[in-house]
């Protein structure tokens, strides 16, 4: 009987350790997200958000298209695009 109690204690200890690691990771990521949003210069639109902006795109494998999105540092991100059934737009809130 003592052997089973030891096994149960060890299993519960391992589960507790995993839960503590997960909770700690969750709160750390949440804190980092909050700090990133409070950073000065996190996002400064240098274009007029009241009108549409044309973003260049390329086709990959003849069926998928990627949008070339410029970043504030001068790099370019390739983002998958979805036609949305006839219209594609990137709203200012999503930028």
């Amino acid at each position: 009987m003592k052997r089973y109690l030891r096994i149960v204690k060890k299993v519960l200890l391992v589960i507790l350790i995993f839960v503590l690691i997960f909770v700690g990771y969750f709160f750390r990521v949440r804190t980092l997200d909050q700090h990133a949003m409070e950073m000065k210069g996190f996002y400064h639109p240098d274009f007029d958000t009241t009108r549409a902006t044309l973003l260049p795109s390329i086709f990959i494998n003849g069926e998928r298209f990627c949008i070339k999105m410029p970043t504030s540092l001068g790099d370019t991100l390739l983002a998958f695009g979805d036609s949305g059934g006839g219209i594609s737009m990137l709203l200012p809130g999503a930028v």
Side-chain angles (χ1 to χ4, degrees), residues 76-88:
T76 302
L77 299 175
L78 283 178
F80 282 114
D82 182 9
S83 65
I87 186 169
S88 294

Side-chain angles (χ1 to χ4, degrees), residues 28-86:
R28 179 66 179 153
V29 168
R30 188 170 144 194
T31 303
L32 290 174
D33 286 345
Q34 288 173 350
H35 289 311
M37 295 303 290
E38 293 169 358
M39 286 174 30
K40 289 186 177 182
F42 180 72
Y43 172 70
H44 290 290
D46 56 350
F47 57 88
D48 184 11
T49 58
T50 60
R51 61 187 184 91
T53 303
L54 180 63
L55 294 173
S57 61
I58 60 171
F59 278 98
I60 296 179
N61 296 333
E63 58 188 43
R64 293 188 180 131
F65 70 94
C66 288
I67 301 168
K68 294 181 180 180
M69 297 173 33
T71 65
S72 61
L73 299 175
D75 294 330
T76 302
L77 299 175
L78 283 178
F80 282 114
D82 182 9
S83 65

